Each structure stands twice: as C-alpha cells, then as structure tokens.
Short mmCIF file of all heavy atoms in Angstrom, two decimals:
data_model
loop_
_atom_site.label_atom_id
_atom_site.label_comp_id
_atom_site.label_asym_id
_atom_site.label_seq_id
_atom_site.Cartn_x
_atom_site.Cartn_y
_atom_site.Cartn_z
N MET J 1 96.78 106.67 99.93
CA MET J 1 97.44 106.97 98.68
C MET J 1 97.75 105.71 97.89
O MET J 1 97.60 105.67 96.70
CB MET J 1 98.72 107.75 98.96
CG MET J 1 99.56 107.97 97.73
SD MET J 1 100.96 109.03 98.10
CE MET J 1 101.81 108.91 96.56
N TYR J 2 98.22 104.63 98.58
CA TYR J 2 98.59 103.40 97.89
C TYR J 2 97.42 102.43 97.95
O TYR J 2 97.42 101.46 98.67
CB TYR J 2 99.84 102.80 98.52
CG TYR J 2 101.01 103.74 98.45
CD1 TYR J 2 101.58 104.26 99.60
CD2 TYR J 2 101.53 104.12 97.22
CE1 TYR J 2 102.65 105.14 99.52
CE2 TYR J 2 102.60 105.00 97.13
CZ TYR J 2 103.15 105.50 98.29
OH TYR J 2 104.19 106.36 98.21
N SER J 3 96.39 102.72 97.16
CA SER J 3 95.15 101.96 97.26
C SER J 3 94.86 101.14 96.02
O SER J 3 93.76 100.63 95.88
CB SER J 3 94.00 102.93 97.52
OG SER J 3 93.94 103.88 96.47
N GLN J 4 95.83 101.01 95.12
CA GLN J 4 95.58 100.24 93.91
C GLN J 4 96.77 99.34 93.62
O GLN J 4 97.83 99.49 94.21
CB GLN J 4 95.27 101.16 92.73
CG GLN J 4 96.36 102.18 92.46
CD GLN J 4 95.93 103.19 91.40
OE1 GLN J 4 94.77 103.56 91.33
NE2 GLN J 4 96.87 103.62 90.58
N GLN J 5 96.61 98.41 92.71
CA GLN J 5 97.67 97.44 92.40
C GLN J 5 98.34 97.73 91.06
O GLN J 5 98.89 96.83 90.43
CB GLN J 5 97.10 96.02 92.41
CG GLN J 5 96.64 95.58 93.79
CD GLN J 5 97.74 95.69 94.84
OE1 GLN J 5 98.86 95.22 94.65
NE2 GLN J 5 97.45 96.36 95.96
N PHE J 6 98.30 98.98 90.65
CA PHE J 6 98.92 99.38 89.38
C PHE J 6 99.38 100.83 89.52
O PHE J 6 98.93 101.54 90.43
CB PHE J 6 97.94 99.21 88.21
CG PHE J 6 96.60 99.84 88.45
CD1 PHE J 6 96.36 101.15 88.11
CD2 PHE J 6 95.57 99.12 89.05
CE1 PHE J 6 95.13 101.74 88.33
CE2 PHE J 6 94.34 99.70 89.29
CZ PHE J 6 94.12 101.01 88.93
N PRO J 7 100.28 101.27 88.65
CA PRO J 7 100.82 102.63 88.80
C PRO J 7 99.85 103.71 88.32
O PRO J 7 98.92 103.45 87.57
CB PRO J 7 102.07 102.59 87.93
CG PRO J 7 101.88 101.49 86.97
CD PRO J 7 100.97 100.49 87.61
N TYR J 8 100.13 104.92 88.77
CA TYR J 8 99.48 106.11 88.24
C TYR J 8 100.30 106.61 87.07
O TYR J 8 101.54 106.57 87.12
CB TYR J 8 99.44 107.23 89.29
CG TYR J 8 98.61 106.96 90.50
CD1 TYR J 8 99.20 106.53 91.68
CD2 TYR J 8 97.24 107.17 90.48
CE1 TYR J 8 98.45 106.29 92.81
CE2 TYR J 8 96.47 106.94 91.61
CZ TYR J 8 97.08 106.50 92.77
OH TYR J 8 96.33 106.28 93.89
N SER J 9 99.65 107.10 86.04
CA SER J 9 100.33 107.73 84.93
C SER J 9 99.97 109.21 84.95
O SER J 9 98.79 109.56 84.95
CB SER J 9 99.89 107.09 83.61
OG SER J 9 100.58 107.68 82.53
N VAL J 10 100.99 110.06 85.02
CA VAL J 10 100.75 111.50 85.11
C VAL J 10 101.48 112.18 83.96
O VAL J 10 102.72 112.12 83.87
CB VAL J 10 101.26 112.06 86.46
CG1 VAL J 10 101.09 113.57 86.52
CG2 VAL J 10 100.54 111.39 87.62
N ALA J 11 100.73 112.81 83.07
CA ALA J 11 101.32 113.55 81.95
C ALA J 11 101.75 114.93 82.45
O ALA J 11 101.01 115.59 83.18
CB ALA J 11 100.31 113.68 80.82
N ILE J 12 102.95 115.32 82.06
CA ILE J 12 103.49 116.59 82.53
C ILE J 12 104.25 117.25 81.38
O ILE J 12 104.90 116.58 80.59
CB ILE J 12 104.39 116.37 83.79
CG1 ILE J 12 104.92 117.68 84.34
CG2 ILE J 12 105.48 115.38 83.53
CD1 ILE J 12 105.64 117.54 85.69
N LYS J 13 104.12 118.56 81.28
CA LYS J 13 104.76 119.33 80.20
C LYS J 13 106.12 119.86 80.65
O LYS J 13 106.35 120.06 81.85
CB LYS J 13 103.87 120.53 79.82
CG LYS J 13 102.50 120.16 79.35
CD LYS J 13 102.50 119.97 77.88
CE LYS J 13 101.07 119.79 77.37
NZ LYS J 13 101.05 119.01 76.16
N LYS J 14 106.97 120.12 79.69
CA LYS J 14 108.29 120.68 79.97
C LYS J 14 108.16 121.92 80.87
O LYS J 14 107.30 122.76 80.64
CB LYS J 14 108.98 121.07 78.65
CG LYS J 14 110.39 121.60 78.83
CD LYS J 14 111.00 121.96 77.48
CE LYS J 14 112.44 122.36 77.57
NZ LYS J 14 112.75 123.46 78.42
N ASP J 15 109.00 121.96 81.88
CA ASP J 15 109.08 123.06 82.86
C ASP J 15 107.90 123.10 83.84
O ASP J 15 107.85 123.97 84.70
CB ASP J 15 109.23 124.43 82.18
CG ASP J 15 110.53 124.54 81.40
OD1 ASP J 15 111.54 123.92 81.82
OD2 ASP J 15 110.55 125.23 80.37
N GLU J 16 106.94 122.19 83.69
CA GLU J 16 105.82 122.13 84.64
C GLU J 16 106.33 121.53 85.96
O GLU J 16 107.13 120.61 85.97
CB GLU J 16 104.70 121.27 84.07
CG GLU J 16 103.45 121.26 84.93
CD GLU J 16 102.32 120.41 84.32
OE1 GLU J 16 102.46 119.95 83.18
OE2 GLU J 16 101.33 120.20 85.02
N GLU J 17 105.83 122.07 87.05
CA GLU J 17 106.22 121.61 88.38
C GLU J 17 105.01 120.93 89.02
O GLU J 17 103.92 121.49 89.01
CB GLU J 17 106.65 122.82 89.20
CG GLU J 17 107.21 122.50 90.56
CD GLU J 17 107.67 123.77 91.26
OE1 GLU J 17 106.84 124.45 91.89
OE2 GLU J 17 108.86 124.09 91.14
N ILE J 18 105.23 119.72 89.55
CA ILE J 18 104.14 119.06 90.26
C ILE J 18 104.62 118.69 91.67
O ILE J 18 105.81 118.58 91.93
CB ILE J 18 103.62 117.80 89.54
CG1 ILE J 18 104.71 116.74 89.42
CG2 ILE J 18 103.01 118.15 88.19
CD1 ILE J 18 104.18 115.39 88.95
N TYR J 19 103.66 118.52 92.56
CA TYR J 19 103.93 118.16 93.95
C TYR J 19 103.38 116.76 94.17
O TYR J 19 102.17 116.55 94.13
CB TYR J 19 103.27 119.17 94.89
CG TYR J 19 103.90 120.54 94.81
CD1 TYR J 19 103.66 121.36 93.71
CD2 TYR J 19 104.73 121.00 95.81
CE1 TYR J 19 104.25 122.61 93.62
CE2 TYR J 19 105.32 122.25 95.73
CZ TYR J 19 105.08 123.05 94.63
OH TYR J 19 105.67 124.27 94.53
N ILE J 20 104.28 115.80 94.41
CA ILE J 20 103.89 114.40 94.58
C ILE J 20 103.76 114.11 96.07
O ILE J 20 104.67 114.35 96.86
CB ILE J 20 104.95 113.47 93.94
CG1 ILE J 20 105.09 113.80 92.45
CG2 ILE J 20 104.56 112.01 94.15
CD1 ILE J 20 106.27 113.11 91.78
N CYS J 21 102.60 113.57 96.47
CA CYS J 21 102.32 113.29 97.88
C CYS J 21 103.34 112.31 98.46
O CYS J 21 103.66 111.29 97.84
CB CYS J 21 100.91 112.70 98.01
SG CYS J 21 100.51 112.25 99.72
N GLN J 22 103.84 112.60 99.63
CA GLN J 22 104.76 111.71 100.35
C GLN J 22 104.20 111.32 101.72
O GLN J 22 104.78 110.48 102.40
CB GLN J 22 106.12 112.40 100.55
CG GLN J 22 106.82 112.77 99.26
CD GLN J 22 107.32 111.55 98.52
OE1 GLN J 22 108.34 110.98 98.85
NE2 GLN J 22 106.55 111.12 97.53
N CYS J 23 103.10 111.94 102.12
CA CYS J 23 102.57 111.68 103.47
C CYS J 23 101.48 110.62 103.47
O CYS J 23 101.17 110.06 104.51
CB CYS J 23 102.04 112.97 104.10
SG CYS J 23 100.45 113.52 103.44
N GLY J 24 100.87 110.35 102.29
CA GLY J 24 99.84 109.35 102.19
C GLY J 24 98.45 109.83 102.59
O GLY J 24 97.51 109.05 102.58
N LYS J 25 98.28 111.10 102.90
CA LYS J 25 96.98 111.59 103.36
C LYS J 25 96.18 112.30 102.26
O LYS J 25 95.04 112.69 102.49
CB LYS J 25 97.18 112.53 104.54
CG LYS J 25 97.79 111.85 105.76
CD LYS J 25 97.66 112.72 106.98
CE LYS J 25 98.25 112.08 108.21
NZ LYS J 25 97.69 110.79 108.55
N THR J 26 96.77 112.47 101.10
CA THR J 26 96.09 113.21 100.04
C THR J 26 94.81 112.53 99.58
O THR J 26 94.72 111.30 99.57
CB THR J 26 97.03 113.43 98.84
OG1 THR J 26 96.35 114.25 97.87
CG2 THR J 26 97.43 112.12 98.19
N ALA J 27 93.86 113.32 99.15
CA ALA J 27 92.64 112.80 98.53
C ALA J 27 92.74 112.90 97.02
O ALA J 27 91.80 112.57 96.30
CB ALA J 27 91.42 113.57 99.03
N LYS J 28 93.89 113.38 96.51
CA LYS J 28 94.10 113.56 95.07
C LYS J 28 95.29 112.72 94.59
O LYS J 28 96.09 113.18 93.81
CB LYS J 28 94.39 115.03 94.76
CG LYS J 28 93.23 115.95 94.94
CD LYS J 28 93.51 117.40 94.56
CE LYS J 28 94.81 117.69 93.89
NZ LYS J 28 95.05 119.11 93.62
N SER J 29 95.42 111.49 95.06
CA SER J 29 96.57 110.64 94.72
C SER J 29 96.84 110.62 93.22
O SER J 29 95.90 110.56 92.44
CB SER J 29 96.32 109.21 95.16
OG SER J 29 96.33 109.13 96.55
N PRO J 30 98.08 110.69 92.81
CA PRO J 30 99.28 110.70 93.63
C PRO J 30 99.80 112.10 93.95
O PRO J 30 100.90 112.25 94.46
CB PRO J 30 100.28 109.97 92.72
CG PRO J 30 99.89 110.44 91.35
CD PRO J 30 98.37 110.54 91.38
N LEU J 31 99.00 113.12 93.67
CA LEU J 31 99.47 114.49 93.86
C LEU J 31 99.07 115.04 95.22
O LEU J 31 98.08 114.63 95.82
CB LEU J 31 98.92 115.37 92.74
CG LEU J 31 99.29 114.90 91.32
CD1 LEU J 31 98.68 115.82 90.28
CD2 LEU J 31 100.79 114.78 91.14
N CYS J 32 99.85 115.98 95.68
CA CYS J 32 99.63 116.62 96.98
C CYS J 32 98.36 117.48 96.95
O CYS J 32 98.10 118.18 95.96
CB CYS J 32 100.84 117.51 97.28
SG CYS J 32 100.65 118.55 98.74
N ASP J 33 97.59 117.43 98.02
CA ASP J 33 96.42 118.31 98.16
C ASP J 33 96.55 119.21 99.39
O ASP J 33 95.57 119.84 99.80
CB ASP J 33 95.12 117.52 98.19
CG ASP J 33 94.94 116.72 99.47
OD1 ASP J 33 95.87 116.66 100.29
OD2 ASP J 33 93.85 116.14 99.63
N GLY J 34 97.75 119.23 100.00
CA GLY J 34 97.97 120.06 101.17
C GLY J 34 97.72 119.36 102.49
O GLY J 34 97.93 119.93 103.55
N SER J 35 97.29 118.10 102.44
CA SER J 35 96.97 117.37 103.68
C SER J 35 98.19 117.12 104.56
O SER J 35 98.04 116.83 105.74
CB SER J 35 96.31 116.03 103.35
OG SER J 35 95.06 116.24 102.72
N HIS J 36 99.41 117.23 103.99
CA HIS J 36 100.63 116.99 104.79
C HIS J 36 100.75 118.01 105.92
O HIS J 36 101.51 117.79 106.86
CB HIS J 36 101.89 117.06 103.91
CG HIS J 36 102.10 118.38 103.26
ND1 HIS J 36 101.54 118.72 102.05
CD2 HIS J 36 102.78 119.46 103.68
CE1 HIS J 36 101.89 119.96 101.74
NE2 HIS J 36 102.64 120.44 102.72
N LYS J 37 100.00 119.07 105.85
CA LYS J 37 100.07 120.09 106.92
C LYS J 37 99.62 119.51 108.25
O LYS J 37 99.91 120.06 109.30
CB LYS J 37 99.24 121.31 106.53
CG LYS J 37 99.87 122.05 105.36
CD LYS J 37 99.02 123.17 104.82
CE LYS J 37 99.72 123.77 103.62
NZ LYS J 37 98.81 124.40 102.70
N GLN J 38 98.92 118.34 108.21
CA GLN J 38 98.48 117.67 109.44
C GLN J 38 99.56 116.72 109.96
O GLN J 38 99.38 116.09 111.00
CB GLN J 38 97.21 116.85 109.17
CG GLN J 38 96.09 117.66 108.57
CD GLN J 38 95.08 116.76 107.87
OE1 GLN J 38 95.04 115.57 108.05
NE2 GLN J 38 94.23 117.37 107.05
N THR J 39 100.67 116.57 109.24
CA THR J 39 101.71 115.61 109.62
C THR J 39 102.93 116.36 110.14
O THR J 39 103.05 117.56 109.98
CB THR J 39 102.13 114.74 108.42
OG1 THR J 39 102.73 115.57 107.44
CG2 THR J 39 100.94 114.00 107.84
N ASP J 40 103.85 115.60 110.76
CA ASP J 40 105.08 116.19 111.30
C ASP J 40 106.20 116.14 110.28
O ASP J 40 106.83 115.10 110.09
CB ASP J 40 105.53 115.44 112.55
CG ASP J 40 104.90 115.99 113.80
OD1 ASP J 40 104.49 117.16 113.78
OD2 ASP J 40 104.83 115.25 114.79
N GLY J 41 106.45 117.22 109.58
CA GLY J 41 107.63 117.34 108.74
C GLY J 41 107.62 116.61 107.42
O GLY J 41 108.60 116.69 106.69
N VAL J 42 106.56 115.88 107.08
CA VAL J 42 106.52 115.20 105.79
C VAL J 42 106.06 116.19 104.74
O VAL J 42 105.02 116.81 104.88
CB VAL J 42 105.57 113.98 105.82
CG1 VAL J 42 105.56 113.28 104.48
CG2 VAL J 42 106.00 113.02 106.92
N ARG J 43 106.88 116.34 103.70
CA ARG J 43 106.60 117.32 102.66
C ARG J 43 106.46 116.61 101.32
O ARG J 43 107.02 115.54 101.11
CB ARG J 43 107.75 118.33 102.55
CG ARG J 43 108.18 118.94 103.87
CD ARG J 43 107.33 120.07 104.30
NE ARG J 43 107.31 121.08 103.27
CZ ARG J 43 106.44 122.06 103.21
NH1 ARG J 43 105.53 122.18 104.14
NH2 ARG J 43 106.46 122.95 102.24
N PRO J 44 105.74 117.21 100.37
CA PRO J 44 105.63 116.59 99.04
C PRO J 44 106.97 116.64 98.29
O PRO J 44 107.81 117.50 98.56
CB PRO J 44 104.58 117.44 98.33
CG PRO J 44 104.60 118.75 99.04
CD PRO J 44 104.99 118.46 100.46
N LEU J 45 107.15 115.72 97.36
CA LEU J 45 108.30 115.74 96.47
C LEU J 45 107.97 116.69 95.32
O LEU J 45 106.95 116.52 94.65
CB LEU J 45 108.58 114.34 95.91
CG LEU J 45 109.66 114.29 94.84
CD1 LEU J 45 111.04 114.51 95.46
CD2 LEU J 45 109.63 112.96 94.11
N ILE J 46 108.80 117.70 95.13
CA ILE J 46 108.58 118.66 94.05
C ILE J 46 109.36 118.17 92.84
O ILE J 46 110.57 117.96 92.92
CB ILE J 46 109.03 120.07 94.46
CG1 ILE J 46 108.28 120.51 95.71
CG2 ILE J 46 108.80 121.05 93.31
CD1 ILE J 46 108.82 121.79 96.34
N PHE J 47 108.65 117.95 91.73
CA PHE J 47 109.28 117.45 90.51
C PHE J 47 109.03 118.44 89.39
O PHE J 47 107.90 118.84 89.16
CB PHE J 47 108.70 116.07 90.13
CG PHE J 47 109.29 115.50 88.88
CD1 PHE J 47 110.46 114.77 88.94
CD2 PHE J 47 108.69 115.72 87.65
CE1 PHE J 47 111.02 114.24 87.78
CE2 PHE J 47 109.24 115.20 86.49
CZ PHE J 47 110.41 114.46 86.56
N THR J 48 110.10 118.82 88.68
CA THR J 48 110.00 119.72 87.54
C THR J 48 110.43 118.96 86.28
O THR J 48 111.53 118.39 86.24
CB THR J 48 110.89 120.96 87.73
OG1 THR J 48 110.54 121.59 88.96
CG2 THR J 48 110.70 121.95 86.59
N ALA J 49 109.56 118.94 85.28
CA ALA J 49 109.84 118.19 84.06
C ALA J 49 110.86 118.92 83.19
O ALA J 49 110.75 120.12 82.97
CB ALA J 49 108.55 117.99 83.28
N GLU J 50 111.85 118.17 82.70
CA GLU J 50 112.84 118.73 81.77
C GLU J 50 112.35 118.64 80.33
O GLU J 50 112.94 119.23 79.43
CB GLU J 50 114.16 117.98 81.93
CG GLU J 50 114.78 118.21 83.31
CD GLU J 50 116.08 117.46 83.50
OE1 GLU J 50 116.52 116.73 82.58
OE2 GLU J 50 116.67 117.60 84.59
N LYS J 51 111.26 117.85 80.12
CA LYS J 51 110.66 117.69 78.79
C LYS J 51 109.22 117.23 78.98
O LYS J 51 108.83 116.85 80.09
CB LYS J 51 111.44 116.64 77.99
CG LYS J 51 111.45 115.29 78.69
CD LYS J 51 112.29 114.27 77.96
CE LYS J 51 112.26 112.95 78.72
NZ LYS J 51 113.08 111.93 78.14
N ASP J 52 108.42 117.28 77.92
CA ASP J 52 107.08 116.69 77.97
C ASP J 52 107.25 115.20 78.23
O ASP J 52 108.04 114.55 77.52
CB ASP J 52 106.34 116.89 76.65
CG ASP J 52 105.99 118.35 76.37
OD1 ASP J 52 106.31 119.21 77.21
OD2 ASP J 52 105.39 118.60 75.32
N GLN J 53 106.56 114.66 79.21
CA GLN J 53 106.73 113.26 79.51
C GLN J 53 105.54 112.72 80.30
O GLN J 53 104.69 113.48 80.77
CB GLN J 53 108.02 113.05 80.31
CG GLN J 53 108.05 113.73 81.66
CD GLN J 53 109.43 113.70 82.30
OE1 GLN J 53 110.03 114.72 82.55
NE2 GLN J 53 109.93 112.50 82.56
N SER J 54 105.50 111.42 80.44
CA SER J 54 104.50 110.77 81.26
C SER J 54 105.21 110.07 82.41
O SER J 54 106.09 109.24 82.19
CB SER J 54 103.72 109.75 80.41
OG SER J 54 102.75 109.12 81.22
N LEU J 55 104.87 110.43 83.62
CA LEU J 55 105.49 109.84 84.82
C LEU J 55 104.72 108.61 85.23
O LEU J 55 103.49 108.57 85.14
CB LEU J 55 105.48 110.85 85.96
CG LEU J 55 106.13 112.20 85.70
CD1 LEU J 55 105.98 113.10 86.93
CD2 LEU J 55 107.59 112.05 85.32
N THR J 56 105.43 107.61 85.71
CA THR J 56 104.81 106.38 86.22
C THR J 56 105.06 106.32 87.71
O THR J 56 106.18 106.04 88.15
CB THR J 56 105.38 105.15 85.49
OG1 THR J 56 105.21 105.33 84.09
CG2 THR J 56 104.65 103.89 85.92
N LEU J 57 104.03 106.64 88.48
CA LEU J 57 104.15 106.74 89.93
C LEU J 57 103.50 105.53 90.60
O LEU J 57 102.45 105.06 90.17
CB LEU J 57 103.48 108.02 90.42
CG LEU J 57 104.07 109.31 89.83
CD1 LEU J 57 103.22 110.50 90.24
CD2 LEU J 57 105.50 109.51 90.27
N CYS J 58 104.13 105.04 91.65
CA CYS J 58 103.64 103.86 92.36
C CYS J 58 102.25 104.09 92.96
O CYS J 58 102.00 105.11 93.58
CB CYS J 58 104.61 103.48 93.48
SG CYS J 58 104.11 102.01 94.40
N GLY J 59 101.36 103.14 92.73
CA GLY J 59 100.03 103.19 93.33
C GLY J 59 99.81 102.09 94.35
O GLY J 59 98.79 102.05 95.02
N CYS J 60 100.80 101.18 94.47
CA CYS J 60 100.61 100.01 95.34
C CYS J 60 101.37 100.09 96.66
O CYS J 60 101.06 99.36 97.60
CB CYS J 60 101.02 98.74 94.60
SG CYS J 60 102.80 98.48 94.45
N GLY J 61 102.38 100.94 96.73
CA GLY J 61 103.15 101.08 97.97
C GLY J 61 104.27 100.06 98.13
O GLY J 61 104.97 100.08 99.13
N LYS J 62 104.49 99.17 97.14
CA LYS J 62 105.51 98.14 97.25
C LYS J 62 106.83 98.53 96.60
O LYS J 62 107.82 97.80 96.74
CB LYS J 62 105.01 96.84 96.60
CG LYS J 62 103.80 96.25 97.27
CD LYS J 62 103.31 95.04 96.48
CE LYS J 62 101.97 94.56 97.00
NZ LYS J 62 101.34 93.63 96.05
N SER J 63 106.87 99.63 95.88
CA SER J 63 108.08 100.02 95.16
C SER J 63 109.23 100.30 96.13
O SER J 63 109.05 100.87 97.20
CB SER J 63 107.80 101.28 94.33
OG SER J 63 109.01 101.74 93.74
N ALA J 64 110.45 99.91 95.72
CA ALA J 64 111.65 100.23 96.49
C ALA J 64 112.18 101.60 96.11
O ALA J 64 113.20 102.04 96.65
CB ALA J 64 112.72 99.17 96.24
N ASP J 65 111.49 102.27 95.19
CA ASP J 65 111.94 103.57 94.71
C ASP J 65 110.78 104.58 94.75
O ASP J 65 110.56 105.33 93.82
CB ASP J 65 112.47 103.42 93.28
CG ASP J 65 113.22 104.63 92.79
OD1 ASP J 65 113.73 105.40 93.63
OD2 ASP J 65 113.28 104.83 91.56
N ILE J 66 110.03 104.60 95.86
CA ILE J 66 108.89 105.51 96.03
C ILE J 66 109.37 106.94 95.78
O ILE J 66 110.43 107.31 96.27
CB ILE J 66 108.33 105.38 97.47
CG1 ILE J 66 107.73 103.99 97.70
CG2 ILE J 66 107.31 106.47 97.79
CD1 ILE J 66 106.39 103.73 97.05
N PRO J 67 108.66 107.76 95.02
CA PRO J 67 107.29 107.57 94.54
C PRO J 67 107.20 106.92 93.16
O PRO J 67 106.11 106.82 92.62
CB PRO J 67 106.76 109.00 94.49
CG PRO J 67 107.95 109.80 94.06
CD PRO J 67 109.13 109.13 94.78
N TRP J 68 108.31 106.46 92.60
CA TRP J 68 108.30 105.91 91.25
C TRP J 68 107.94 104.43 91.28
O TRP J 68 108.35 103.70 92.17
CB TRP J 68 109.68 106.09 90.59
CG TRP J 68 110.23 107.45 90.82
CD1 TRP J 68 111.30 107.79 91.58
CD2 TRP J 68 109.72 108.69 90.32
NE1 TRP J 68 111.49 109.15 91.59
CE2 TRP J 68 110.53 109.73 90.83
CE3 TRP J 68 108.65 109.02 89.51
CZ2 TRP J 68 110.31 111.08 90.53
CZ3 TRP J 68 108.42 110.36 89.22
CH2 TRP J 68 109.25 111.36 89.72
N CYS J 69 107.20 103.97 90.28
CA CYS J 69 106.89 102.54 90.12
C CYS J 69 108.15 101.82 89.67
O CYS J 69 108.83 102.28 88.74
CB CYS J 69 105.78 102.38 89.07
SG CYS J 69 105.48 100.66 88.60
N ASP J 70 108.50 100.71 90.33
CA ASP J 70 109.66 99.91 89.91
C ASP J 70 109.22 98.52 89.43
O ASP J 70 110.07 97.64 89.29
CB ASP J 70 110.68 99.80 91.05
CG ASP J 70 110.19 98.96 92.21
OD1 ASP J 70 109.02 98.51 92.19
OD2 ASP J 70 110.99 98.76 93.16
N GLY J 71 107.95 98.33 89.20
CA GLY J 71 107.45 97.06 88.70
C GLY J 71 107.07 96.08 89.80
O GLY J 71 106.60 94.98 89.51
N SER J 72 107.28 96.45 91.07
CA SER J 72 107.00 95.54 92.17
C SER J 72 105.53 95.15 92.26
O SER J 72 105.21 94.11 92.84
CB SER J 72 107.43 96.16 93.51
OG SER J 72 108.83 96.33 93.55
N HIS J 73 104.64 95.93 91.69
CA HIS J 73 103.21 95.60 91.74
C HIS J 73 102.92 94.30 90.97
O HIS J 73 101.88 93.71 91.16
CB HIS J 73 102.36 96.75 91.18
CG HIS J 73 102.64 97.05 89.74
ND1 HIS J 73 103.65 97.89 89.33
CD2 HIS J 73 102.04 96.60 88.62
CE1 HIS J 73 103.64 97.97 88.01
NE2 HIS J 73 102.68 97.19 87.56
N ASN J 74 103.84 93.88 90.12
CA ASN J 74 103.66 92.63 89.35
C ASN J 74 104.01 91.40 90.15
O ASN J 74 103.75 90.29 89.71
CB ASN J 74 104.51 92.68 88.08
CG ASN J 74 103.99 93.69 87.08
OD1 ASN J 74 102.80 93.78 86.85
ND2 ASN J 74 104.89 94.48 86.51
N ARG J 75 104.63 91.58 91.32
CA ARG J 75 105.07 90.41 92.11
C ARG J 75 104.07 90.07 93.19
O ARG J 75 103.36 90.86 93.68
CB ARG J 75 106.44 90.68 92.74
CG ARG J 75 107.50 90.69 91.69
CD ARG J 75 108.86 90.94 92.31
NE ARG J 75 109.55 91.86 91.40
CZ ARG J 75 110.07 93.03 91.76
NH1 ARG J 75 110.06 93.43 92.97
NH2 ARG J 75 110.63 93.80 90.86
S1 FES F 1 102.47 100.41 91.25
FE1 FES F 1 103.76 100.07 92.95
S2 FES F 1 105.55 99.22 92.10
FE2 FES F 1 104.29 99.59 90.43
#
C-alpha cells in the first residue's frame, strides 16, 4: 500500500462513504479491496464525507497520522 513517495488524492462527494485500507494488502491503494479478510482483525477505516472534498491520503507510510498525509514524505 505504501509504495510511493507522495500522497494519494481521492475526490469524494458529500455523504459518500469510502473504505480506506488499513491492512496494507489491498491491490487498489489507498482503498480497501477486501484483502483484509486474510488478516487478523485489521479492518478498513470507514470515512463519510460531510461535503464534496479531496482527501490527501499517505502513500509513503511515514505519516504520524495514518491514513492521512502529514507532509512527512517531504523529509
Ligand atoms: S505521502 Fe506519506 S506523509 Fe505524505
């Protein structure tokens, strides 16, 4: 999942629900593809948008606020 040195940008509409991968096994980074079913208890983060927005999700794995990018990829 954390295979790049820059964030993912995910556009999401108001009231849309997305499943963000937390297990690292997805083939559809950064979103869940159901692969967590092979892991013990790791579940996706369910996020519901309160407005139309663009999410900035960590692609490098260095963020202190996973799954969100905190700028650590610049260091
Ligand atoms: S992409 Fe990982 S901190 Fe920004």
Side-chain angles (χ1 to χ4, degrees):
M1 174 174 173
Y2 300 115
S3 58
Q4 56 188 35
Q5 294 304 311
F6 50 90
Y8 294 99
S9 182
V10 177
I12 182 172
K13 301 270 188 207
K14 183 180 186 302
D15 297 327
E16 185 179 353
E17 186 177 85
I18 62 169
Y19 292 74
I20 301 170
C21 177
Q22 299 290 280
C23 75
K25 296 193 180 303
T26 184
K28 291 183 8 183
S29 291
L31 303 179
C32 173
D33 71 353
S35 295
H36 62 272
K37 292 173 183 154
Q38 305 159 16
T39 65
D40 272 338
V42 180
R43 310 278 304 165
L45 173 72
I46 302 170
F47 180 86
T48 305
E50 294 179 359
K51 59 184 179 183
D52 292 0
Q53 63 190 119
S54 180
L55 304 178
T56 304
L57 300 172
C58 181
C60 76
K62 297 175 189 166
S63 174
D65 192 24
I66 295 285
W68 315 111
C69 171
D70 69 356
S72 295
H73 62 275
N74 290 317
R75 289 181 221 125

